[in-house]
C-alpha cells in the first residue's frame, strides 16, 4: 500500500512502513509506485468525470456551468486559458488535468513549444515559491543567533 509516498506492508490487520534500501531498492520503489499509480489513476475516470455530479446534481450542475464559463473566450482566449490550465495542472500534479489540457491545447492550436513554455512558467513559479520560503528559514536562523 502507498500512502503519501510511503510504502506500507499489510498483514495481520495492521500496516507498517517498509524500509526500501540497498541495491536495487530505487528500481523496486519506482516499479511499485508506477504499479500503484496505474491502479489508482484510470483513464476512464477522466472520461466519466461528469458522473461525479450524480451524488449532488444541483452542485454538480453549478460547478460544470461555472467551469464552462471560466474556459469560454473572454479577456483571454479559450486557447490561452487552456495553456494556463495545462501549466496549473503540472503545478498541482493532476494527471487527469495534464492529459485533458494537453489534448485541449492541441485541439485549440497550441504546439509543443508553447505547451512546454507554459509548463516552464509553472515550474518557475513553483520553484520560486519554494525558494522564497527560504526567507523564513533565514529569519528563524537569524533569531536563533546563527
Amino acid at each position: 500500500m502507498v500512502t503519501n509516498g510511503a510504502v506500507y506492508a499489510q498483514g495481520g490487520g495492521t500496516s507498517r512502513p517498509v524500509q526500501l534500501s540497498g541495491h536495487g531498492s530505487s528500481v523496486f520503489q519506482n516499479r511499485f509506485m508506477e504499479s500503484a499509480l496505474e491502479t489508482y489513476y484510470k483513464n476512464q475516470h477522466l472520461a466519466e468525470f461528469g458522473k461525479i455530479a450524480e451524488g449532488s446534481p444541483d452542485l454538480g450542475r453549478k460547478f460544470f456551468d461555472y467551469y464552462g464559463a471560466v474556459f469560454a473566450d473572454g479577456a483571454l482566449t479559450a486557447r490561452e486559458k487552456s495553456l494556463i490550465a495545462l501549466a496549473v495542472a503540472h503545478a498541482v500534479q493532476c494527471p487527469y488535468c495534464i492529459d485533458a489540457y494537453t489534448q485541449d491545447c492541441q485541439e485549440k492550436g497550441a504546439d509543443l513549444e508553447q505547451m512546454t513554455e507554459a509548463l516552464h512558467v509553472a515550474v518557475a513559479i513553483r520553484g520560486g515559491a519554494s525558494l522564497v520560503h527560504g526567507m523564513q528559514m533565514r529569519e528563524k536562523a537569524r533569531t536563533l543567533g546563527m
Side-chain angles (χ1 to χ4, degrees):
M1 173 175 66
V2 178
T3 305
N4 294 330
V7 180
Y8 290 84
Q10 291 183 308
T14 62
S15 297
R16 63 188 186 330
V18 174
Q19 178 67 28
L20 295 175
S21 61
H23 180 69
S25 64
S26 63
V27 172
F28 170 77
Q29 188 173 14
N30 287 340
R31 287 184 185 151
F32 186 87
M33 292 298 291
E34 287 173 10
S35 175
L37 291 176
E38 287 172 4
T39 59
Y40 188 77
Y41 294 109
K42 296 184 170 99
N43 288 337
Q44 78 258 23
H45 290 166
L46 184 56
E48 297 173 357
F49 181 47
K51 292 181 179 179
I52 199 71
E54 291 173 0
S56 182
D58 188 47
L59 290 176
R61 181 186 46 75
K62 288 176 182 179
F63 172 79
F64 286 112
D65 286 349
Y66 168 77
Y67 195 88
V70 165
F71 284 94
D73 282 324
L76 297 172
T77 66
R79 183 181 165 280
E80 292 167 329
K81 291 177 180 184
S82 188
L83 284 164
I84 292 167
L86 180 63
V88 171
H90 281 83
V92 300
Q93 301 175 336
C94 173
Y96 299 117
C97 304
I98 292 168
D99 284 358
Y101 284 100
T102 296
Q103 182 175 340
D104 196 58
C105 283
Q106 288 180 331
E107 289 171 356
K108 289 183 169 58
D111 61 28
L112 183 59
E113 183 179 7
Q114 293 165 331
M115 292 187 297
T116 302
E117 192 169 317
L119 167 61
H120 281 283
V121 170
V123 169
I125 295 299
R126 189 167 182 155
S130 296
L131 194 56
V132 77
H133 276 83
M135 297 307 294
Q136 281 78 24
M137 176 269 305
R138 290 174 51 89
E139 180 68 21
K140 184 65 176 178
R142 188 183 62 72
T143 62
L144 294 172
M146 298 180 100

